[in-house]
């Protein structure tokens, strides 16, 4: 033992402070030694009837080495636990015993012991990460003896105490609960183990050793307490109980707390940088338009997080972790229910108290404390675009959600009616669609944390014209009311206090105000650290005899004030200046900012600072340092030598330099704090000229234009892109006008404020130079080649430029009419003034841009053929809008179109709660735009536009480049549906491209791509392949689509009859696809692998398809969604329709394999299994569904993962539902009880109804009542829960007790139905089938109480609901019935049965009852899904009997008691698909094509 412990001391103290770790090691050593001495006294005393486990050190060391060598880290614990189980069983082998009676006792004890072994193995496996970490073992093998000793002690002790627990029930349950707590604490260290040991905090190593020691002490105390006889235990519990049991428990819990704090500090101190790297690597925005739209502020939020995190000083914020409110919020249990609101904590405080830093600190902690959790975050910041609106929050949180778990991305991709990019969506609708619904349906085992900082800084856009309103609430209020109701989430909000936040958050959860007392010690610690690190400040505080910590007590908890004042003191240049600065310390934040800016005035840098601040405040996203230098140099016509030095020396207290994601050397520039931004926006501050938004935007537009017209611009690609894409945006913003909203009329651009004359004159001169020269070409080219080139990007840019430039000129016109003001610019003043006079006319601006756009396109050498192809279409649009002779001619068609659009615009203005509609004109109400739309539909294929383009663009007939581009345009014309000269256009296109290739056969590979397209139009596939092959040789970097076109055509030629293939050659196609994967890997995932699998399927080689999918997983593991495709290869749909069978075991095994090999999506793979079985159940193939689900339960029970455990419960629940549909209620009860038992969290409230129904149909009414009462407890407004309670009382002969719950259910459901009608147009009435049924049951209750009048009144109230449920499409033609809609569902028959019964009860002579029963009979016979199904058969029989009874004139007779069989069958039908038949297809196709369920 001594040698092992000595080795342990060397390992644990290496690289760390050896003293505290050595002391902790000694405590562990002592605990092990004391336990071993106590334990050795118990080993095999004669006559002992209970087995004593005795694993040896050598045995457990050997088992550890084997499992460490043969398993990865994630599996090591499970395998080691199983090895310990075997050692325990072997350690209590047979020994000769003197008497038969003793042998019997020993056998019974061994049987009992074997039941404990599994629990011990599971516990030891979970404890292993902590043991390895505490003992310092980093190698897989070779150090086994170090970790084996404490594990041996714990394994033997746990096994023995668990045996004793079986006789000591109360203490035993408490002991087992404590084992679960130890297991949880042990697993938490798993992520930390992955870090380099030298980076770990010594405190964490020390506390891990202490926790191990206290675990052993706890086992020793448990063993001593429980090993005695009954009377001795009574005595010990009375006298020494607190000493032996409670003392050890208290010490263990204290060890938990200290270990917890050390773990959190470790996370905060040493792992944050790694998290930054992880975040940088994972933040890759999707190309998909929707997911791109979802991520408006991803980079801004991450940058803000990094800035806030960097503000935290070493050793501060430990008090946050100790807050009782925070501790309860972080570790408190949250029931996993769709009706359970979020658990909310609001930390609020004054500006400067460090709220944002706290939020960033907590976010960092949660990331590592809960590595499997979904943690969403948003940092609001006033004035920073992308961080100021509730819509930004919702979209960004949704994007983060899709990055946390693939389930959410797939869920949104499959969801219909998603919000559209560019549409102004109602915030509540957006939140429910993008956040609430996905989370409520997401993985049940995943914790969800949402952190929002600075909500008080959000803008309320609901007050702006055209924005949705929320019943007089602000957007922040609307968002919060929805947010705090989100299911299974923990929400942390940090902000200043405000009435609108307080009103909601005080009621929603826990509120904690951050006071000056909370920060006092942190400020002291921060001040001391800053002064100690600065020899200058240390000596100067000593010289004047002041204690810096005492001096800064005046900070009053405002951390920011202390930091800024220290910055000012550090910059003093002499002792006297330092003393003076101390005497004149500014008392408020505004005074601090005044002093900082006064210093820049004295240093001569005020103009630079003013310009930097102006840019920083208006940018849509922050600039990096080089971009800022370029921008400010252009604004001031100067050249700063060292921008970073200027920023750090003059702006260090005002701005934050945040590392650019993905770079350790570049920094982004952010406004430092909200208080400084508020200072800048306040016109009464002493530097009121510092910032004016309009002027800042005007200067920014000027800087961008200067860059674009420069003869030799600075090489700054980022600023170049910014200048190209943002000069127009800044120009519009300089008028003080917001960006035109979606489908918003152009009058929104009217009005505006003028700029100062000097700025306006500089801008108009620069615009004149820009728009009248070839300098516009890079701008136009960008929008030709923009990412979504197939949309109207170029047209929209030119169109809005004309409109906005005209508006800008009108606003600033009075500054631009004096020719003398322009003489200093050295340009032709008369020409400039003449040009300006034409600016109010859109045509003037468009006429200047049209020839340049044509020139850019005709002379382009772009390599992407599709860009050239769609670029021609954009030019046709511009030609029509600018030059068409009829563009301004009024006509009836345009007038009608404008009226239609005007109605849409008016509806958009009124519909402030929903999504905007664009109409055909996107809100443009001008005659010009209406004619443009109409002409475009008719003339897109006209040659006239090509002629106009060639004329305007200075076509060079001798240039191969021009001829190649014209050939693309001719190909476009040949492909348009209205072209009359297709053959001529195609022939000319071929001649042009061949001319281009004659001139430069080894030039642009795009020429060969186009040539191939022309050949394919003439069905010359071989020539096309040859052309593309030649192009590929010229495209080594794969910049074109040549490889994609080449291999796709080869595959089509081998497999498709429309490409001349009579007999598909799938083997050859597979060979081509294998080559495509090698040569065109960029399309391998999205195209080639999937096509290859399809080829294997078509040739009947399903194993080959499976190999292909597996190869795809190996090629790129991120394409793991194909696991479901692989599983589907086990299903032959034709065989399934004919035989109701498929290779379900192969299907399920594939998904089980996926869950093991792809654990990140295990939940999804197993869910597919559950979904498929449920689908089979819905087709009423119940036996097959039962087999699949039972196999799923068997499979998941053998997996040791959270996803498998949770999915096992889902399998059991689905099996229970299947048994309900089969009316096998006892089996249903068993499966549903298993599901509830295996749930890791409380099941959602709706699942209680299933178990309650099963109990009820088994006649187990007390249990059913308890279940439904539990449902009502979870959701007091549950109408169905109250109705079920009423039904139970009705069934058990207590109708008087049924009345109240039925009334409660009806009131709740009627209210909900009214709200549903108001909210959804497709619910025209508030009639509801549940209200109908519950009124009927309430009437039956009154009948059983002989209160007939009240019963009939209830039936009368049920009648309109029943009439509202039947379809008006079932009509009579004479004696025949016919259904005039497409699908007739079986539920229609049930609705008519209920209606007929009500007619009959209210008036036995009512002939409508007979008609209703006839319709029910007809529907039931028409919609039979499975002819041999007993429920379908009984339903038909019941309808026939009711019809026959009415025809005979026999009244309905009260049966005396509720028909339980009828209700059981009705409940079983509720668990089945509501099948319908497509009457139009009834005479053709299979039953599956006719039938549809919902």
């Amino acid at each position: 033992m001594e040698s092992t412990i000595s080795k342990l001391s060397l390992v644990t103290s290496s690289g760390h402070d050896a003293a505290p770790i050595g002391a902790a090691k000694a405590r562990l050593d002592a605990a092990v030694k004391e336990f071993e001495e106590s334990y050795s006294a118990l080993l095999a005393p004669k006559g002992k009837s209970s087995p004593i486990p005795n694993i040896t050190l050598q045995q457990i060391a050997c088992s550890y080495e084997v499992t460490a060598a043969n398993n990865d880290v994630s599996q090591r614990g499970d395998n080691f636990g199983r090895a310990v189980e075997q050692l325990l069983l072997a350690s209590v082998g047979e020994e000769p015993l003197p008497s038969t009676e003793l042998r019997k006792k020993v056998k019974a004890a061994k049987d009992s012991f074997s039941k404990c072994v599994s629990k011990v193995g599971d516990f030891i496996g979970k404890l292993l990460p902590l043991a390895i970490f505490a003992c310092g073992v980093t190698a897989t093998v070779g150090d086994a003896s170090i970790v084996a000793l404490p594990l041996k002690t714990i394994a033997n002790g746990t096994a023995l105490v668990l045996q004793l627990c079986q006789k000591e029930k109360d203490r035993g349950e408490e002991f087992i609960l404590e084992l679960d707590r130890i297991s949880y604490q042990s697993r938490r260290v798993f992520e930390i183990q992955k870090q380099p040991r030298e980076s770990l905090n010594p405190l964490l190593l020390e506390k891990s050793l202490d926790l191990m020691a206290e675990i052993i002490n706890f086992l020793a105390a448990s063993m001593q307490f429980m090993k005695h006889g009954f009377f001795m235990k009574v005595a010990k519990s009375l006298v020494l109980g607190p000493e032996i049991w409670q003392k050890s428990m208290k010490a263990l819990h204290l060890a938990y707390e200290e270990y917890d704090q050390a773990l959190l500090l470790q996370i905060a101190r040493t792992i944050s940088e790694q998290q930054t790297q992880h975040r940088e690597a994972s933040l890759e925005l999707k190309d998909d338009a929707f997911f791109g739209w979802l991520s408006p502020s991803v980079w801004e939020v991450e940058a803000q997080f990094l800035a806030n995190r960097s503000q935290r000083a070493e050793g501060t914020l430990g008090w946050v972790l100790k807050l009782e409110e925070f501790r309860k919020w972080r570790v408190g249990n949250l029931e996993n229910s769709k009706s359970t609101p979020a658990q909310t904590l609001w930390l609020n405080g004054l500006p400067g108290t460090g709220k944002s830093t706290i939020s960033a600190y907590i976010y960092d902690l949660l990331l590592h404390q809960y590595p499997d959790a979904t943690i969403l975050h948003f940092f609001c910041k006033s004035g920073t675009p992308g961080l100021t609106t509730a819509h930004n929050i919702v979209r960004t949180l949704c994007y983060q959600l899709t990055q946390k778990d693939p389930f959410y991305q797939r869920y949104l991709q499959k969801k219909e009616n998603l919000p559209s990019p560019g549409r102004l969506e109602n915030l509540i609708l957006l939140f429910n669609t993008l956040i609430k619904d996905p989370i409520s349906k997401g993985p049940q085992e995943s914790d969800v944390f949402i952190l929002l900082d600075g909500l008080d800084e959000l803008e309320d856009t609901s007050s702006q014209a055209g924005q949705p309103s929320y019943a007089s609430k602000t957007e922040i209020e609307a968002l919060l009311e929805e947010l705090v109701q989100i299911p299974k989430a923990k929400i942390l909000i940090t902000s200043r206090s405000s009435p609108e936040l307080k009103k909601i958050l005080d009621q929603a959860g826990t509120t904690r105000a951050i006071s000056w007392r909370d920060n006092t010690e942190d400020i002291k610690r921060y001040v001391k650290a800053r002064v100690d690190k600065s020899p200058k400040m240390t000596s100067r505080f000593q010289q004047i005899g002041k204690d810096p910590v005492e001096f800064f007590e005046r900070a009053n908890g405002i951390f920011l004030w202390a930091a800024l004042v220290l910055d000012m003191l550090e910059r003093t240049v002499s002792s006297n200046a330092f003393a003076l600065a101390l005497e004149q310390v500014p008392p408020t934040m505004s005074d601090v900012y005044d002093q900082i800016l006064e210093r820049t005035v004295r240093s001569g840098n005020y103009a630079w600072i003013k310009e930097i601040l102006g840019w920083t405040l208006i940018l849509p996203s922050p600039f990096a340092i080089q971009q800022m230098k370029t921008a400010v140099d252009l604004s001031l016509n100067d050249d700063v030598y060292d921008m970073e030095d200027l920023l750090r020396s003059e702006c260090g207290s005002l701005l934050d330099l945040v590392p650019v994601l993905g770079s350790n050397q570049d920094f982004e520039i952010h406004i430092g704090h909200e208080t400084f931004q508020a200072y800048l926006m306040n016109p009464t501050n002493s530097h009121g000229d510092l910032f004016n938004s309009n002027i800042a935007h005007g200067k920014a537009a000027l800087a961008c234009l200067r860059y674009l017209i420069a003869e030799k611009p600075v090489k700054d690609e980022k600023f170049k892109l910014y200048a190209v894409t943002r000069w127009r945006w800044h120009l519009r913003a300089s008028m003080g006008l917001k960006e035109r909203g979606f489908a918003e009329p152009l009058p929104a651009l009217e009005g505006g404020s003028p700029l100062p004359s000097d700025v306006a004159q500089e801008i108009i001169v620069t615009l004149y130079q820009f728009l009248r020269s070839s300098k516009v070409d890079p701008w136009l080219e960008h929008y030709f080649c923009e990412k979504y080139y197939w949309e109207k990007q170029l047209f929209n840019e030119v169109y809005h430029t004309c409109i906005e430039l005209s508006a800008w000129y009108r606003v600033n016109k009075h500054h631009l009419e004096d020719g003398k003001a322009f003489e200093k610019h050295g340009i032709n003043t008369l020409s400039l003034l003449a040009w300006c006079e034409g600016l109010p006319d859109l045509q003037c601006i468009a006429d200047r841009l049209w020839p340049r756009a044509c020139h850019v396109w005709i002379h382009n050498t772009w390599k992407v053929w599709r860009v050239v192809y769609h670029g021609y279409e954009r030019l046709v649009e511009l030609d029509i809008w600018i030059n068409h002779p009829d563009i301004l001619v009024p006509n009836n068609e345009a007038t009608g179109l404008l009226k239609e659009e005007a109605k849409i615009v008016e509806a958009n203005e009124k519909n402030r709660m929903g999504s905007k509609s664009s109409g055909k004109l996107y809100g443009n109400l001008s005659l010009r735009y209406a004619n443009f739309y109409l002409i475009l539909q008719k003339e897109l294929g006209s040659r006239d536009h090509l002629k106009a383009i060639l004329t305007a663009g200075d076509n060079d007939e001798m240039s191969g480049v021009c001829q190649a581009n014209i050939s693309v345009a001719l190909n476009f014309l040949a492909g348009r549906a209205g072209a009359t000269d297709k053959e001529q256009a195609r022939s000319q296109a071929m001649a042009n491209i061949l001319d281009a290739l004659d001139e430069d056969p080894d030039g642009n590979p795009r020429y060969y791509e186009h040539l191939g397209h022309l050949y394919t139009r003439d069905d010359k596939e071989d020539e096309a392949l040859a052309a593309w092959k030649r192009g590929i040789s010229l495209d080594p970097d794969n910049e074109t689509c040549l490889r994609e076109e080449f291999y796709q055509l080869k595959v089509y030629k081998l497999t498709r009859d429309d490409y001349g293939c009579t007999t598909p050659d799938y083997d050859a196609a597979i060979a081509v696809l294998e080559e495509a994967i090698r040569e065109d890997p960029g399309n391998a995932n999205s195209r080639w692998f999937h096509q290859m699998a399809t080829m294997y399927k078509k040739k009947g080689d399903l194993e080959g398809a499976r190999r292909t999918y597996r190869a795809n997983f190996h090629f790129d593991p991120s394409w793991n969604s194909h696991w479901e495709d692989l599983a589907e290869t086990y299903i032959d749909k034709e065989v399934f329709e004919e035989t109701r069978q498929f290779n379900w075991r192969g299907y399920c095994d594939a998904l089980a394999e996926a869950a093991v090999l792809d654990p990140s999506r295990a939940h999804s793979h197993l869910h597919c299994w559950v979904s498929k079985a449920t689908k089979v159940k819905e087709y009423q193939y119940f036996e097959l569904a039962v087999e699949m689900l039972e196999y799923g339960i068997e499979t998941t029970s053998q997996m040791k993962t959270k996803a498998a455990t949770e999915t096992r419960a889902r399998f059991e629940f689905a099996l229970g539902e299947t048994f309900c549909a089969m009316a096998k209620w006892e089996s249903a009860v068993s499966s549903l009880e298993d599901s509830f038992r295996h749930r890791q969290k409380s099941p959602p409230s709706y699942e209680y109804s299933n178990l309650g129904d099963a109990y009820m149909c088994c006649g187990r009414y007390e249990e059913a009542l308890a279940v439904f009462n539990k449902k009502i407890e979870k959701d007091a407004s549950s109408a169905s829960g109250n109705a079920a309670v009423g039904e139970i009382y009705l069934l058990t002969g207590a109708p008087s007790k049924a009345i109240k719950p039925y009334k409660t259910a009806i009131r709740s459901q009627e209210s909900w139905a009214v709200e549903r009608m108001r909210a959804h147009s497709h619910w025209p009435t508030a009639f509801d089938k549940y209200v109908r049924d519950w009124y009927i049951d309430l009437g039956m209750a009154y009948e059983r109480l002989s209160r007939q009048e009240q019963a009939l009144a209830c039936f009368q109230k049920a009648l309109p609901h029943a009439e509202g449920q039947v379809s008006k499409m079932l009509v009579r033609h004479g004696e025949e019935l016919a259904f005039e809609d497409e699908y007739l569902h079986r539920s229609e028959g049930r609705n008519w049965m209920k209606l007929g019964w009500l007619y009959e009860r209210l008036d036995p002579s009512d002939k409508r009852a007979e008609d209703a029963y006839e319709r029910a009979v007809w529907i039931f016979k028409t919609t039979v899904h499975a002819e041999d199904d007993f429920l379908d058969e009984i339903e038909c029989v019941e309808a026939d009997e009711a019809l026959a009874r009415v025809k005979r004139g026999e009244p309905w007779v009260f049966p005396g008691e509720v028909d339980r069989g009828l209700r059981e069958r009705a409940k079983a039908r509720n668990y089945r698909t509501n099948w319908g038949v497509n009457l139009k297809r009834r005479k053709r196709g299979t039953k599956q094509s006719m039938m549809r369920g919902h």
Side-chain angles (χ1 to χ4, degrees), residues 1223-1234:
K1224 294 185 177 181
W1225 301 108
E1226 290 290 353
S1227 299
V1229 166
S1230 177
S1231 294
L1232 292 171
E1233 285 179 338
D1234 287 343

PDB file of all heavy atoms in Angstrom, residues 1223-1234:
ATOM      1  N   ALA A1223     -57.338  -2.714 -28.310  1.00  0.00           N
ATOM      2  CA  ALA A1223     -58.243  -2.942 -27.180  1.00  0.00           C
ATOM      3  C   ALA A1223     -57.718  -4.033 -26.251  1.00  0.00           C
ATOM      4  O   ALA A1223     -58.484  -4.716 -25.568  1.00  0.00           O
ATOM      5  CB  ALA A1223     -59.654  -3.284 -27.659  1.00  0.00           C
ATOM      6  N   LYS A1224     -56.402  -4.200 -26.173  1.00  0.00           N
ATOM      7  CA  LYS A1224     -55.778  -5.123 -25.221  1.00  0.00           C
ATOM      8  C   LYS A1224     -55.317  -4.285 -24.030  1.00  0.00           C
ATOM      9  O   LYS A1224     -54.151  -3.909 -23.908  1.00  0.00           O
ATOM     10  CB  LYS A1224     -54.609  -5.855 -25.871  1.00  0.00           C
ATOM     11  CG  LYS A1224     -55.037  -6.804 -26.996  1.00  0.00           C
ATOM     12  CD  LYS A1224     -53.856  -7.592 -27.533  1.00  0.00           C
ATOM     13  CE  LYS A1224     -54.297  -8.594 -28.597  1.00  0.00           C
ATOM     14  NZ  LYS A1224     -53.171  -9.407 -29.128  1.00  0.00           N
ATOM     15  N   TRP A1225     -56.249  -4.004 -23.152  1.00  0.00           N
ATOM     16  CA  TRP A1225     -56.025  -2.967 -22.150  1.00  0.00           C
ATOM     17  C   TRP A1225     -55.048  -3.385 -21.068  1.00  0.00           C
ATOM     18  O   TRP A1225     -54.263  -2.558 -20.598  1.00  0.00           O
ATOM     19  CB  TRP A1225     -57.369  -2.555 -21.550  1.00  0.00           C
ATOM     20  CG  TRP A1225     -58.302  -2.040 -22.604  1.00  0.00           C
ATOM     21  CD1 TRP A1225     -59.412  -2.652 -23.100  1.00  0.00           C
ATOM     22  CD2 TRP A1225     -58.168  -0.812 -23.323  1.00  0.00           C
ATOM     23  NE1 TRP A1225     -59.998  -1.889 -24.082  1.00  0.00           N
ATOM     24  CE2 TRP A1225     -59.248  -0.735 -24.242  1.00  0.00           C
ATOM     25  CE3 TRP A1225     -57.258   0.249 -23.289  1.00  0.00           C
ATOM     26  CZ2 TRP A1225     -59.432   0.327 -25.093  1.00  0.00           C
ATOM     27  CZ3 TRP A1225     -57.444   1.318 -24.146  1.00  0.00           C
ATOM     28  CH2 TRP A1225     -58.512   1.356 -25.042  1.00  0.00           C
ATOM     29  N   GLU A1226     -55.072  -4.642 -20.632  1.00  0.00           N
ATOM     30  CA  GLU A1226     -54.129  -5.067 -19.601  1.00  0.00           C
ATOM     31  C   GLU A1226     -52.691  -4.972 -20.110  1.00  0.00           C
ATOM     32  O   GLU A1226     -51.785  -4.529 -19.406  1.00  0.00           O
ATOM     33  CB  GLU A1226     -54.441  -6.501 -19.164  1.00  0.00           C
ATOM     34  CG  GLU A1226     -55.734  -6.651 -18.368  1.00  0.00           C
ATOM     35  CD  GLU A1226     -55.630  -6.032 -16.981  1.00  0.00           C
ATOM     36  OE1 GLU A1226     -54.521  -5.600 -16.590  1.00  0.00           O
ATOM     37  OE2 GLU A1226     -56.658  -5.981 -16.281  1.00  0.00           O
ATOM     38  N   SER A1227     -52.487  -5.411 -21.355  1.00  0.00           N
ATOM     39  CA  SER A1227     -51.144  -5.294 -21.947  1.00  0.00           C
ATOM     40  C   SER A1227     -50.745  -3.831 -22.088  1.00  0.00           C
ATOM     41  O   SER A1227     -49.581  -3.462 -21.892  1.00  0.00           O
ATOM     42  CB  SER A1227     -51.113  -5.977 -23.314  1.00  0.00           C
ATOM     43  OG  SER A1227     -51.398  -7.347 -23.209  1.00  0.00           O
ATOM     44  N   ALA A1228     -51.725  -2.990 -22.425  1.00  0.00           N
ATOM     45  CA  ALA A1228     -51.439  -1.560 -22.547  1.00  0.00           C
ATOM     46  C   ALA A1228     -50.994  -0.980 -21.219  1.00  0.00           C
ATOM     47  O   ALA A1228     -50.037  -0.199 -21.145  1.00  0.00           O
ATOM     48  CB  ALA A1228     -52.673  -0.821 -23.069  1.00  0.00           C
ATOM     49  N   VAL A1229     -51.685  -1.370 -20.153  1.00  0.00           N
ATOM     50  CA  VAL A1229     -51.319  -0.874 -18.829  1.00  0.00           C
ATOM     51  C   VAL A1229     -49.881  -1.254 -18.498  1.00  0.00           C
ATOM     52  O   VAL A1229     -49.084  -0.432 -18.029  1.00  0.00           O
ATOM     53  CB  VAL A1229     -52.286  -1.440 -17.761  1.00  0.00           C
ATOM     54  CG1 VAL A1229     -51.707  -1.225 -16.350  1.00  0.00           C
ATOM     55  CG2 VAL A1229     -53.636  -0.769 -17.869  1.00  0.00           C
ATOM     56  N   SER A1230     -49.523  -2.505 -18.747  1.00  0.00           N
ATOM     57  CA  SER A1230     -48.174  -2.967 -18.420  1.00  0.00           C
ATOM     58  C   SER A1230     -47.122  -2.157 -19.168  1.00  0.00           C
ATOM     59  O   SER A1230     -46.124  -1.710 -18.576  1.00  0.00           O
ATOM     60  CB  SER A1230     -48.052  -4.451 -18.768  1.00  0.00           C
ATOM     61  OG  SER A1230     -46.737  -4.912 -18.537  1.00  0.00           O
ATOM     62  N   SER A1231     -47.318  -1.940 -20.472  1.00  0.00           N
ATOM     63  CA  SER A1231     -46.327  -1.206 -21.268  1.00  0.00           C
ATOM     64  C   SER A1231     -46.258   0.257 -20.866  1.00  0.00           C
ATOM     65  O   SER A1231     -45.168   0.844 -20.766  1.00  0.00           O
ATOM     66  CB  SER A1231     -46.674  -1.316 -22.757  1.00  0.00           C
ATOM     67  OG  SER A1231     -46.546  -2.644 -23.203  1.00  0.00           O
ATOM     68  N   LEU A1232     -47.411   0.864 -20.619  1.00  0.00           N
ATOM     69  CA  LEU A1232     -47.405   2.285 -20.251  1.00  0.00           C
ATOM     70  C   LEU A1232     -46.792   2.486 -18.875  1.00  0.00           C
ATOM     71  O   LEU A1232     -46.079   3.470 -18.641  1.00  0.00           O
ATOM     72  CB  LEU A1232     -48.827   2.834 -20.303  1.00  0.00           C
ATOM     73  CG  LEU A1232     -49.442   2.927 -21.709  1.00  0.00           C
ATOM     74  CD1 LEU A1232     -50.921   3.263 -21.632  1.00  0.00           C
ATOM     75  CD2 LEU A1232     -48.712   3.970 -22.561  1.00  0.00           C
ATOM     76  N   GLU A1233     -47.042   1.573 -17.955  1.00  0.00           N
ATOM     77  CA  GLU A1233     -46.393   1.669 -16.640  1.00  0.00           C
ATOM     78  C   GLU A1233     -44.887   1.551 -16.774  1.00  0.00           C
ATOM     79  O   GLU A1233     -44.124   2.286 -16.115  1.00  0.00           O
ATOM     80  CB  GLU A1233     -46.936   0.578 -15.717  1.00  0.00           C
ATOM     81  CG  GLU A1233     -48.330   0.852 -15.196  1.00  0.00           C
ATOM     82  CD  GLU A1233     -48.837  -0.273 -14.295  1.00  0.00           C
ATOM     83  OE1 GLU A1233     -48.314  -1.413 -14.402  1.00  0.00           O
ATOM     84  OE2 GLU A1233     -49.755  -0.023 -13.507  1.00  0.00           O
ATOM     85  N   ASP A1234     -44.434   0.631 -17.641  1.00  0.00           N
ATOM     86  CA  ASP A1234     -42.984   0.517 -17.879  1.00  0.00           C
ATOM     87  C   ASP A1234     -42.431   1.821 -18.433  1.00  0.00           C
ATOM     88  O   ASP A1234     -41.340   2.260 -18.056  1.00  0.00           O
ATOM     89  CB  ASP A1234     -42.717  -0.625 -18.861  1.00  0.00           C
ATOM     90  CG  ASP A1234     -42.912  -2.000 -18.235  1.00  0.00           C
ATOM     91  OD1 ASP A1234     -42.941  -2.080 -16.989  1.00  0.00           O
ATOM     92  OD2 ASP A1234     -43.036  -2.981 -18.989  1.00  0.00           O
TER      93      ASP A1234
END
